[in-house]
Every structure is written in C-alpha cells, then in structure tokens.
Amino acid sequence: MIDALLPTPGNDLSDDDLLALYAPADRSVPRLRANFVASVDGSATASGLSGALGGPADKRVFDLLRQLCDVVVVAAGTIRSEGYGAMRLPASAEQWRRAQELAPQPAFAIVTGRLDLDPSSDVFAKAPVRPLVLTAASADADRRAALAEVADVVDCGDDTVEPRRLVEVLVARGLTQIHCEGGPSLLGALIESDVLDALCLTISPALEGGSGPRITHRAAGAAPIDLRAMTLDHVLNADGMLLTQYSRRR
Ligand SMILES: NC(=O)c1ccc[n+]([C@@H]2O[C@H](COP(=O)([O-])OP(=O)(O)OC[C@H]3O[C@@H](n4cnc5c(N)ncnc54)[C@H](OP(=O)(O)O)[C@@H]3O)[C@@H](O)[C@H]2O)c1
C-alpha cells in the first residue's frame, strides 16, 4: 500500500503534545535514541556545521529530547567542531523533570579515545552535573588524570569505546534513557554494534550539494554490515521540514 502522509491535518502541536509523542513508553527499559539532521540530499552539515540545516522546529524537538532523557551522549569530534559548552536545561525544563521525578538535569557524557579535551573548558567548568568521559583503557594517562579532576572518567573498552559497554556503563548508573546527539563516527559505531534503538531524523528542506558528510560514518574499508530494519514511528511537518522518528525493528 502507498499512503499519503501530506498534506497533514492542521494540528499545531504544543510542547506537551511533543513530549507525549517522544516520551519513552517504559523508562525502566534501556533505550538508546539518536537525533540528527540532514539535508534532502543527505548531508549532515552545511559549511562544516549542522546548525544551518536546522530551524526553530528542529531546535524545539532537539531541546525536548534532552528534557526527556537521563543522559546526553556526544562524541568528542562534535564537541570540538560544534563548540559545545556546558549543557544546562532551562528552569522550565527542570521544573517539568522534577514533576516527573527525574533528576533536574540529565547527565552529560563525552565519548573519546584520545581524551583530547580541555579540562578548563566550559563543557566541564560550567556543567550543572559532573560530566562523564567515556573512554578506552589505552587512553593517555596524563590526560586521564587531568580530566578526572573535572569529570568521571570511565573505561568502556580496551582501545575504543565499545558501544555495548557504553550502554552497560550508563544503565548501571541508572541512566536508562540514553540520548545521542552525534556525531557521525559515533553513530556509525552504534549502528555497527546494533545498539541503536531509535533515530530521530530531521530532513531539512535544502540541498547541500555533496561536500558534506553523511549522518553516519565508518572507517574506509570497514566490512559491510547487514541492513538494520527500522519502523517509522511518526513524521511531523514544520513548513516542509520533516521531523521523523524511526525505531529499530529487531
Ligand atoms: N547532522 C547532524 O545532526 C550532526 C550531529 C552531530 C555532528 N555533526 C557534524 O559531524 C561532524 C563531526 O563528525 P565526526 O565524525 O568527527 O563526529 P564524532 O562522532 O562526533 O567524533 C569523532 C570522534 O569522537 C570520538 N569517538 C567517536 N566514536 C568513538 C568510539 N567508538 N571510541 C572512541 N572514541 C570515539 C573520537 O574522539 P577522539 O578523537 O577524542 O578520540 C573521534 O575522533 C561535524 O562537522 C559536526 O558538525 C552533525
């Protein structure tokens, strides 16, 4: 069957509507969800950053997905290239989370093998909750010691952060609702290990032209993997920007 999704009925969804739509069905069940934006022709960036692909609707969902999770996970490449500062939800989101009996702020976890992060940067210095640094046992000892002053540094593998170990480590801390904001290399690893449960993908109504990366990346020469089947949960239309969610069908 081929069915039309558009034009949609004239529902102007409120934040409460969106929170209900994106809320986990059962917070006791561990779930790893990622949120990405891409152009119509499949680029994850415009002029090197993802920001220009988004817009107010995408930003609204981006913020609400943070509000719903227990931990936001971001890989070091995205922290460095997007210039991440400390993650702090606004007071209204904190209030909502308290009412749901959640911690006022989600945890923040950075994935890095090399630990090439400045311990004095705002990501750490202004964090409302002591961040987590998820790394590998082989990481440089001096950098580990410096980051351990400002974050909980946890090994999730010998030479790289192994996605299954990452999930185990976070769930063991009670952080069952795991939300990944990027970037493509981390997403490639999550897909390869088949730990990704859901992908929120915003399709930006623009053509980038071919110089940008895809939302998912694996090293050149990496062995092909089987297709990961997904189920479409929803498509929202915000003036031609499509906000989708797909869940992994296992
Ligand atoms: N369209 C979107 O929604 C979106 C979202 C996020 C980012 N982006 C874009 O993506 C680009 C960055 O791409 P990227 O591939 O560099 O992204 P990335 O996945 O954010 O960063 C790669 C780095 O993260 C660390 N890392 C990732 N997976 C790891 C693993 N399994 N084990 C150990 N370390 C791991 C490594 O850091 P170390 O080098 O420190 O070891 C690695 O060099 C930027 O242009 C950004 O704007 C787009």
Side-chain angles (χ1 to χ4, degrees):
M1 183 177 79
I2 297 179
D3 200 357
L5 288 171
L6 298 171
T8 52
N11 291 321
D12 187 7
L13 298 177
S14 67
D15 282 357
D16 282 344
D17 295 331
L18 291 168
L19 286 166
L21 186 66
Y22 285 99
D26 180 352
R27 296 194 77 94
S28 70
V29 177
R31 186 164 180 245
L32 197 169
R33 173 162 65 182
N35 183 36
F36 279 77
V37 61
S39 64
V40 172
D41 57 343
S43 178
T45 64
S47 305
L49 296 174
S50 60
L53 295 173
D58 175 64
K59 179 70 168 66
R60 244 176 96 194
V61 170
F62 180 94
D63 288 343
L64 293 173
L65 291 172
R66 283 186 168 184
Q67 186 170 321
L68 283 163
C69 73
D70 294 322
V71 56
V72 173
V73 178
V74 188
T78 295
I79 296 279
R80 292 187 288 257
S81 59
E82 298 268 345
Y84 264 66
M87 183 194 69
R88 182 186 291 274
L89 269 49
S92 57
E94 272 198 354
Q95 197 179 358
W96 182 90
R97 288 177 60 90
R98 283 183 208 277
Q100 313 296 315
E101 299 182 351
L102 301 175
Q105 296 280 336
F108 188 70
I110 302 173
V111 175
T112 169
R114 293 184 300 126
L115 297 178
D116 182 15
L117 299 162
D118 179 358
S120 66
S121 66
D122 284 356
V123 179
F124 302 104
K126 295 190 176 168
V129 180
R130 186 175 163 88
L132 286 158
V133 172
L134 307 180
T135 191
S138 58
D140 180 90
D142 291 341
R143 287 180 176 175
R144 179 188 293 270
L147 284 167
E149 298 285 322
V150 294
D152 286 359
V153 182
V154 185
D155 288 343
C156 296
D158 294 335
D159 298 316
T160 62
V161 172
E162 294 164 15
R164 288 190 182 279
R165 193 76 199 106
L166 173 151
V167 172
E168 285 167 8
V169 160
L170 295 175
V171 170
R173 290 176 169 247
L175 306 171
T176 58
Q177 302 307 305
I178 305 170
H179 180 56
C180 175
E181 294 182 353
S185 301
L186 178 58
L187 185 62
L190 299 178
I191 293 170
E192 180 174 348
S193 299
D194 203 7
V195 297
L196 186 74
D197 297 305
L199 176 65
C200 297
L201 175 65
T202 297
I203 301 168
S204 177
L207 296 166
E208 184 269 345
S211 56
R214 291 174 53 177
I215 63 164
T216 179
H217 172 78
R218 290 171 72 224
I225 58 169
D226 293 338
L227 269 182
R228 308 296 193 217
M230 307 288 279
T231 303
L232 177 64
D233 298 328
H234 64 246
V235 181
L236 309 178
N237 175 26
D239 296 323
M241 181 167 286
L242 300 183
L243 302 155
T244 73
Q245 178 174 282
Y246 291 86
S247 287
R248 176 80 175 102
R249 180 154 47 85
R250 292 192 174 87

